[in-house]
Amino acid sequence: MSHVANSKGRGGFIAGFLILPLALYLTFVIWPYIQTFGYSFTNWTGQSPTFDFVGLDNYSALLKDEVFRGALLHNLLLLVFVPTVTILISLFFAFMLNAGGRSGAGGVQGVAGSALYKVIYFFPQVLSLAILAVLFGAVYRSDEGGLLNGFLSKLGLVDPAHPIEWLNQPNLVLWCLLLVVVWHGVGFYLVLFSAAMQSVPKDIYEAALLDGAKRAQTFFKVTLPLLWDSVQTSAVYLGIAAMDMFVLVSTMTSGQFGGGPDHHSEVMATVLMRNFLYFGKAGYACAMGVVMLILTLILSAITLRATRREHVEF
C-alpha cells in the first residue's frame, strides 16, 4: 500500500510540473493550428469579426491558382537541392577536418589548422537572416558596386557595361537564393557531423587504412554509415527550411513580399503572406497554410522512411 501511495504521490508531483507547460503548449501552439484549419473553410478577410462558411472553395481555388502551383514547384526544387547540397558539402568538410589529414604518431587526424577552419566555417551561422539578405544583396548587386559582378569583370567574364542582374534573371534568381541558404547552413551541419565523427573511435579509421582502404572508401564504408542518424535528422530539418524560405525571398527579390521577377522566385510562404496581408484573403491564406503543414509532415515522414537503415554500432 505504501508503494502504491508513493507512486501516486510521485505521479501527482510530476503532473503538477507538467500542467502549466502543457497548458501553454496547447494554448499557443495547438490552438492556433486548430483555428487555422477552421478559418480555411471560411471567407474570413483577417479584419472582419464576421465571416461565412465556404466549405472546400478555398482548397479548390488553390488547384487553379497558377502562382501557388509555381511556388509549390519552387519549394519542391529547393527541397531536393538544399538538403542534398548542404549535407554533401558539410560531410566532406567534416571528414577532412576530422580524418582527412595524414596519419601521424597520434593516429588519424584532421587537416592542419582544422580547429581554426571549424570556427571560420561556423561563422555564417551566427548571422541572422536579415543580415544575410543585406550581405548577399550587396554581392548580387547589378551595378559596379556588386561584388560578384566586379569579381567576374576583373576576370573578363562579364562586360562592366552590361553586368548580370542576378536577382532579376528568371533563370538565375532561385539558384542565387539556394546559394545563400547553403552558405548559411553548411557551418552548422559541419559542426554537427564533426561532433558525431569525434565520437567514433579512431581505431576504426586506422584499421580501415591498415587494410588498404583509400580516403574515399573510408568515407563511404566507415564514416557515412556511422553518421547516418545525424544525416537523417539533418535532412528533415533542411527539408523544413526549404519549405519556408520566406525571409530571404521577401527581402532579396522584387515584388510585394518578394517573388520576382514575374513570380520566378515565388515560394508558398510569400504567396500566403501576400494573400493574407495585401489582398485580405485570410481564409484563403489559411488554406495555403494547411496545405504547407500537410506537405511538410508528409515529406518529413517520407524522408525518415526513405533514409531508414539498420543502426550501426561501434
Side-chain angles (χ1 to χ4, degrees):
M1 293 294 293
S2 61
H3 177 72
V4 175
N6 290 335
S7 299
K8 290 182 177 179
R10 191 181 307 112
F13 179 77
I14 295 174
F17 277 96
L18 291 178
I19 288 176
L20 180 59
L22 182 59
L24 292 174
Y25 183 79
L26 291 174
T27 302
F28 295 106
V29 178
I30 301 301
W31 179 241
Y33 279 114
I34 297 175
Q35 284 183 308
T36 301
F37 274 100
Y39 287 137
S40 69
F41 298 105
T42 69
N43 62 355
W44 183 44
T45 63
Q47 296 180 344
S48 173
T50 60
F51 45 82
D52 298 321
F53 180 78
V54 296
L56 297 175
D57 288 355
N58 289 327
Y59 292 97
S60 61
L62 279 179
L63 299 177
K64 305 173 185 177
D65 191 335
E66 293 183 2
V67 175
F68 182 77
R69 293 205 307 266
L72 174 60
L73 177 61
H74 295 158
N75 275 117
L76 293 177
L77 287 174
L78 292 169
L79 181 68
V80 172
F81 286 100
V82 169
T84 302
V85 177
T86 304
I87 289 175
L88 288 177
I89 295 176
S90 301
L91 279 173
F92 173 76
F93 284 146
F95 180 76
M96 295 302 295
L97 295 180
N98 288 274
R102 294 183 177 180
S103 301
V108 174
Q109 55 190 354
V111 297
S114 57
L116 176 62
Y117 291 143
K118 289 179 184 179
V119 175
I120 295 174
Y121 288 138
F122 189 77
F123 177 73
Q125 189 63 37
V126 305
L127 302 177
S128 68
L129 291 177
I131 295 176
L132 278 182
V134 174
L135 177 63
F136 275 88
V139 172
Y140 290 136
R141 278 172 56 182
S142 58
D143 56 19
E144 295 180 357
L147 180 62
L148 185 55
N149 276 322
F151 176 74
L152 294 177
S153 65
K154 293 293 184 182
L155 297 177
L157 300 176
V158 171
D159 183 1
H162 300 89
I164 300 174
E165 297 186 8
W166 299 98
L167 297 178
N168 283 317
Q169 292 288 337
N171 297 327
L172 294 177
V173 59
L174 201 63
W175 306 111
C176 291
L177 295 173
L178 171 66
L179 177 63
V180 178
V181 177
V182 171
W183 186 82
H184 180 252
V186 163
F188 175 81
Y189 292 99
L190 181 150
V191 173
L192 176 66
F193 296 146
S194 293
M197 287 182 187
Q198 289 173 2
S199 65
V200 178
K202 297 295 184 181
D203 296 344
I204 297 178
Y205 290 112
E206 293 173 0
L209 293 176
L210 288 175
D211 287 339
K214 303 298 182 182
R215 293 295 181 184
Q217 293 174 317
T218 303
F219 175 79
F220 287 106
K221 298 296 185 180
V222 178
T223 303
L224 190 57
L226 294 177
L227 266 64
W228 194 252
D229 289 343
S230 298
V231 172
Q232 183 186 55
T233 303
S234 301
V236 172
Y237 277 106
L238 286 166
I240 293 173
M243 293 295 290
D244 184 10
M245 293 288 294
F246 173 75
V247 174
L248 289 179
V249 174
S250 62
T251 53
M252 293 185 64
T253 60
S254 59
Q256 188 73 29
F257 295 102
D262 195 24
H263 304 296
H264 280 85
S265 63
E266 203 80 71
V267 292
M268 289 188 291
T270 57
V271 181
L272 186 155
M273 293 303 295
R274 187 181 302 112
N275 279 274
F276 185 83
L277 297 176
Y278 189 70
F279 296 131
K281 297 181 178 180
Y284 188 50
C286 287
M288 293 183 187
V290 172
V291 172
M292 289 177 62
L293 171 63
I294 294 174
L295 286 176
T296 302
L297 292 176
I298 292 175
L299 292 170
S300 297
I302 292 175
T303 301
L304 290 174
R305 180 68 179 177
T307 57
R308 179 181 297 177
R309 289 188 179 183
E310 294 184 3
H311 182 67
V312 179
E313 296 184 354
F314 47 84

